[in-house]
Amino acid sequence: MQGNLKKWQSRIVRNNIERYRFALENYYIKNKPLVKMRGGHKAFSLLSPPVGSVVARRRIRFIMNNIIDDNTKIKKNKIISWGRRTPHFTTIAVTYKCQCNCLHCSAQQYKEETESKQSALGFQEIKSIIDQAIEIGTTCIVFTGGEPLLYEKIYDLINTIDKSKAVCTIFTNGEYLNEKSASLLKEAGIFGVFVSLDFTDSDKHNKNRQRKGIFEKAIRGIRVCQERNILTGISTFITKEKLLSGELDAMMNLGKKLKVLEVFLFDIIATGRLRHRPDCMLSKADIDKVRKFRGKYNSDPDYPRIIHQTMFTSIAYPCVSEGCPAGVAQIHIRGNGDVSPCDFTPLSFGNIRQKSLRELWQNIIGNEIYSKPSQCCRLSDSEFCVRLDMED
């Protein structure tokens, strides 16, 4: 391959391999423990294949193919204009059924629409989406909801994924994680389980979820997964209040106590039940605080590593340290088949029942508002949201 490349392409390939290693080592591997998996490969994240594994090598091949694509160009300011992008992360809302009634739920509107129109995806449709996602380069399939464990064929879906091409992780509220379900997840080949915890105080968490006793069940769920050697993580959201109150520090202490591998931080987004609350969004000053917070705990070997939603991109496109993954490294399929750049973006680029996932991905990356990278979540930018409304 090297002999057929132009000089600038060869240089970019070398540079990006170095940056890829730098991103992995400094954002994810450095100072933190690795988990030895079957085959001797070591895992560092629930959202990235183990280092050196066949799936990890597959991801790198797609990254390199994007670089040497004929349409990839170097602009005058030396910024890469990608001729091709790969959705390394495909998130799928397999169901909107949920026993909780979260005050911050981002999927409430989609749940109501899907139920009223009876438009939920069937098993074969979701299986086809998985196959199409892997075909266009996805190396991490993520099941969301609703509550994925309420989908009766969730174990069958996990089992259908070709584990030589992609890993599979789920986000769950944890209530239905027990000895039986954890064993079935393990048998199906699950890679990792993120359990959502909104607060470290059980009463606050249960109140926000409007579900009695769910905090205790979520903690127990993490432990039963660990007993079966399933990678575990905590998923939580960031608010201005949490940044000031010390709640995020308390969450890291809980993650340390539970010995989870990773804590996933989501910015609070004005969508779903919060769609009329733009005041809840983090400011640039808040985001700077989040970055300092991440740096503090990611440099401490006694704590779980942190992955922030904007850090997706750094493990998919090593040309940047981080950035909004929507339409760059991630694609999301709603429970009714509508396709959007991420779970939180309230805009559909088409439905999987009418077009292939490849076509819908091209619709996203070909759209002007997703043509340029963004270091922060795009939805935190008021100008972007105005343009999004115009697109809608």
Side-chain angles (χ1 to χ4, degrees):
M1 179 183 78
Q2 197 74 12
N4 297 325
L5 298 181
K6 299 175 183 177
K7 286 185 178 180
W8 68 266
Q9 288 178 320
S10 298
R11 185 177 68 253
I12 292 173
V13 168
R14 289 195 302 271
N15 290 345
N16 276 270
I17 285 292
E18 290 176 5
R19 288 173 180 173
Y20 186 78
R21 289 171 178 166
F22 177 85
L24 291 181
E25 291 172 2
N26 287 276
Y27 276 81
Y28 302 103
I29 297 176
K30 187 178 180 180
N31 300 319
K32 300 293 182 179
L34 300 175
V35 177
K36 192 171 183 179
M37 308 294 289
R38 182 180 297 177
H41 301 298
K42 294 180 179 179
F44 64 94
S45 169
L46 281 66
L47 293 163
S48 286
V51 178
S53 67
V54 63
V55 184
R57 295 198 298 272
R58 182 173 186 263
R59 175 175 287 186
I60 292 173
R61 283 199 301 274
F62 274 94
I63 292 171
M64 293 303 103
N65 286 338
N66 291 342
I67 294 173
I68 64 175
D69 185 86
D70 288 340
N71 293 316
T72 296
K73 308 293 182 184
I74 290 288
K75 297 184 178 180
K76 291 182 179 179
N77 54 8
K78 296 184 179 181
I79 294 177
I80 300 176
S81 174
W82 296 94
R84 185 195 305 178
R85 296 184 203 164
T86 298
H88 297 281
F89 311 93
T90 295
T91 56
I92 307 171
V94 293
T95 182
Y96 287 129
K97 292 179 181 177
C98 189
Q99 76 278 29
C100 296
N101 195 21
C102 302
L103 299 180
H104 66 290
C105 181
S106 62
Q108 182 63 29
Q109 179 182 349
Y110 308 137
K111 176 182 178 181
E112 293 171 357
E113 291 177 357
T114 302
E115 288 178 350
S116 65
K117 296 179 180 180
Q118 297 184 332
S119 56
L121 293 168
F123 176 82
Q124 290 299 329
E125 289 177 309
I126 301 176
K127 181 181 180 301
S128 174
I129 292 167
I130 293 169
D131 293 341
Q132 291 181 61
I134 290 176
E135 182 181 350
I136 60 177
T138 290
T139 45
C140 184
I141 300 288
V142 182
F143 292 139
T144 67
E147 170 49 50
L149 292 180
L150 284 176
Y151 184 72
E152 59 183 11
K153 292 187 177 181
I154 187 66
Y155 311 109
D156 295 327
L157 278 180
I158 297 168
N159 193 52
T160 65
I161 297 171
D162 185 340
K163 307 305 188 300
S164 69
K165 295 182 178 179
V167 297
C168 178
T169 292
I170 67 168
F171 281 82
T172 172
N173 58 46
E175 180 169 2
Y176 300 120
L177 279 176
N178 50 44
E179 286 80 1
K180 181 180 179 181
S181 62
S183 295
L184 290 172
L185 286 171
K186 182 68 175 179
E187 290 173 13
I190 197 70
F191 180 65
V193 175
F194 275 111
V195 176
S196 298
L197 293 174
D198 306 331
F199 296 94
T200 54
D201 180 87
S202 60
D203 290 338
K204 286 184 179 180
H205 177 78
N206 295 344
K207 183 178 181 181
N208 190 67
R209 296 260 153 181
Q210 300 193 62
R211 184 73 173 176
K212 185 178 180 180
I214 194 170
F215 180 87
E216 293 77 11
K217 291 178 180 177
I219 298 297
R220 181 171 177 268
I222 289 173
R223 289 178 171 140
V224 298
C225 286
Q226 291 172 340
E227 290 169 1
R228 285 151 185 80
N229 296 318
I230 298 172
L231 300 182
T232 57
I234 291 172
S235 169
T236 193
F237 61 88
I238 312 169
T239 63
K240 297 174 184 289
E241 293 75 18
K242 284 187 178 183
L243 280 170
L244 295 172
S245 68
E247 172 60 36
L248 294 179
D249 294 282
M251 190 64 72
M252 293 306 299
N253 285 326
L254 178 59
K256 175 183 176 182
K257 179 181 177 181
L258 293 173
K259 298 180 180 179
V260 298
L261 181 65
E262 196 166 35
V263 175
F264 199 132
L265 301 180
F266 285 97
D267 296 350
I268 194 74
I269 304 293
T271 189
R273 282 205 165 120
L274 298 176
R275 63 185 179 275
H276 302 304
R277 287 284 314 281
D279 59 295
C280 74
M281 300 283 285
L282 301 183
S283 66
K284 290 183 178 179
D286 294 328
I287 293 170
D288 286 339
K289 291 178 183 177
V290 174
R291 287 178 177 148
K292 290 179 181 177
F293 177 85
R294 285 167 15 193
K296 171 185 173 181
Y297 284 101
N298 274 340
S299 63
D300 192 328
D302 293 330
Y303 285 87
R305 58 177 57 75
I306 292 175
I307 183 169
H308 185 213
Q309 63 190 50
T310 59
M311 294 169 74
F312 264 164
T313 319
S314 65
I315 52 177
Y317 289 96
C319 59
V320 291
S321 60
E322 66 175 282
C324 179
V328 176
Q330 179 189 7
I331 191 170
H332 177 68
I333 296 86
R334 298 179 194 158
N336 66 348
D338 283 342
V339 175
S340 64
C342 78
D343 314 41
F344 304 110
T345 305
L347 175 65
S348 170
F349 279 80
N351 192 284
I352 198 69
R353 287 170 171 142
Q354 276 78 51
K355 293 184 178 181
S356 70
L357 194 61
R358 184 184 297 275
E359 290 176 290
L360 294 168
W361 176 244
Q362 291 301 319
N363 285 350
I364 294 172
I365 65 176
N367 190 289
E368 184 185 356
I369 63 174
Y370 287 96
S371 62
K372 296 179 181 179
S374 172
Q375 285 193 330
C376 300
C377 171
R378 285 181 171 84
L379 298 174
S380 67
D381 182 347
S382 58
E383 291 184 9
F384 175 83
C385 291
V386 169
R387 296 180 68 187
L388 197 66
D389 288 339
M390 292 173 65
E391 289 287 329
D392 195 24

